[in-house]
Amino acid sequence: LFLDDCLLHSFDFDLGHKKTNISKKDYFNSLDIFFNKLESQFNMPVFIAAHPNGLEYENYEKLFGHRKVIFNNSLALSKNCFFAMTHHSLSIHYPILFKRQIIF
C-alpha cells in the first residue's frame, strides 16, 4: 500500500519559497519502476491510498498507471495491507496502529 501525500501537487510549493527538484513525469516514472519491482518481488499489486488533494486534479489516478487508486479509504486499506509505504503522509499512523511493516 502506498500512502500518497500528493507530493508534487502540494500547495506548499505554491505558498513557499521551496521548489521541487524533480519533474512530475520523472517522479511518477520513478514510482512506477519502484512499484513494479515490489510487485514482482512480492507477487502482489501495489494499491494507492490517494491523498484527498488529488481529487482537485483531473485524471490524478492516471498518474499511477495501471494501479488501483482509492480515495478516502486509507484506514481500511492500511488494516488489510501487507506493508505500507509513504514519503511523509500523516496517514502513516494507520499502519502503525495495525502493526504493519513500513517503508519510508
Side-chain angles (χ1 to χ4, degrees), residues 6-62:
C6 211
L7 184 65
L8 293 190
H9 291 85
S10 173
F11 304 135
D12 296 339
F13 292 121
D14 295 332
L15 299 173
H17 66 280
K18 292 188 177 184
K19 302 298 177 203
T20 63
N21 60 357
I22 187 171
S23 71
K24 289 177 186 177
K25 179 181 177 184
D26 288 342
Y27 170 75
F28 284 102
N29 186 50
S30 294
L31 274 184
D32 187 53
I33 291 168
F34 180 64
F35 292 161
N36 283 339
K37 288 180 181 181
L38 289 174
E39 289 168 336
S40 176
Q41 181 175 346
F42 291 99
N43 196 30
M44 63 177 62
V46 170
F47 286 79
I48 310 298
H51 191 283
N53 287 350
L55 291 168
E56 301 288 324
Y57 301 95
E58 188 175 337
N59 297 318
Y60 185 71
E61 301 92 338
K62 290 184 180 181

Side-chain angles (χ1 to χ4, degrees), residues 1 81-85 92 95-96 98-103:
L1 175 67
C81 73
F82 183 65
F83 63 87
M85 304 169 278
I92 197 64
I96 290 170
F98 291 119
K99 299 180 180 178
R100 299 294 181 237
Q101 297 181 60
I102 300 169
I103 298 174

Side-chain angles (χ1 to χ4, degrees), residues 43-80:
N43 196 30
M44 63 177 62
V46 170
F47 286 79
I48 310 298
H51 191 283
N53 287 350
L55 291 168
E56 301 288 324
Y57 301 95
E58 188 175 337
N59 297 318
Y60 185 71
E61 301 92 338
K62 290 184 180 181
L63 294 172
F64 295 97
H66 66 277
R67 291 179 181 85
K68 181 106 172 144
V69 178
I70 304 165
F71 286 93
N72 301 318
N73 210 4
S74 297
L75 175 63
L77 292 168
S78 295
K79 181 179 181 180
N80 298 308

